[in-house]
Amino acid sequence: MKLPLLKKYALNCFLLTIPILVWNILLADQLPEAYQEAVFSKDIPQFLAFGESISRIVLFLLMAVMPLTLTTHTQKTGLALFGFGTLVYFGSWLTLMYPISSECPSSAIGFLAPAYTPFLWLTGIGLIGDSFAFNVRYRRGYFFGVALVFLGFHVAHAWLVFGRMH
């Protein structure tokens, strides 16, 4: 395999999610009890859990076949939005782990923040991507459509847990 071809597949938008995945793995046990796996996944309807999992897998697969390039203004704007969105996402976790007041984790806006703030960094990735690593016509709507489906399931899941806890 030639080096440029390897680079085409290895340097992809999925790489941007690595800091987010590491954050989630290292700090998930620091979140409130409602976000712990045993509580968060309990009694979630199968269609919701299945839809969330499948759409997450498709979303990550799409990112893995979207080459990571930053040559256009749109891509550079996407990178800035991704960075900002990642910081907002991390902040949503921190407000649950170290609440300034007891109202933040108990309000719907605060509790659901880790579920809806990925909209920002996913939008950034969607703006960065402008092609597939293989010969299929690329349209941003593919990525944004799957991202919105995932976020719908993800927020609905968190909403059910919030409703159960409050």
Side-chain angles (χ1 to χ4, degrees):
M1 187 179 272
K2 295 181 180 179
L3 188 57
L5 188 59
L6 180 63
K7 182 180 175 186
K8 179 178 177 179
Y9 289 103
L11 193 59
N12 60 62
C13 289
F14 176 80
L15 297 174
L16 295 169
T17 67
I18 291 174
I20 295 164
L21 294 172
V22 168
W23 176 275
N24 291 355
I25 290 166
L26 293 178
L27 298 176
D29 64 339
Q30 302 295 313
L31 287 170
E33 181 183 356
Y35 271 97
Q36 299 308 311
E37 184 65 27
V39 177
F40 197 73
S41 296
K42 183 180 180 193
D43 299 327
I44 298 301
Q46 282 187 338
F47 83 92
L48 184 60
F50 184 72
E52 184 179 13
S53 293
I54 294 299
S55 59
R56 178 185 289 117
I57 290 167
V58 172
L59 189 61
F60 279 80
L61 286 173
L62 282 174
M63 286 186 255
V65 297
M66 293 168 42
L68 178 59
T69 57
L70 299 170
T71 55
T72 69
H73 177 71
T74 300
Q75 290 172 320
K76 292 173 185 173
T77 300
L79 183 62
L81 182 57
F82 171 80
F84 174 73
T86 300
L87 292 175
V88 170
Y89 176 70
F90 290 168
S92 74
W93 279 53
L94 292 172
T95 60
L96 292 174
M97 294 184 319
Y98 308 106
I100 296 171
S101 72
S102 62
E103 293 162 13
C104 185
S106 62
S107 73
I109 291 173
F111 186 86
L112 297 174
Y116 65 77
T117 56
F119 175 80
L120 293 169
W121 58 262
L122 284 169
T123 300
I125 290 174
L127 293 175
I128 292 168
D130 69 353
S131 65
F132 289 126
F134 48 86
N135 195 19
V136 170
R137 185 173 181 178
Y138 179 84
R139 295 188 187 268
R140 280 198 170 91
Y142 300 149
F143 180 81
F144 286 123
V146 174
L148 288 174
V149 168
F150 166 70
L151 288 169
F153 281 121
H154 197 49
V155 171
H157 181 162
W159 180 256
L160 285 176
V161 175
F162 176 77
R164 193 172 59 220
M165 303 304 286
H166 296 92

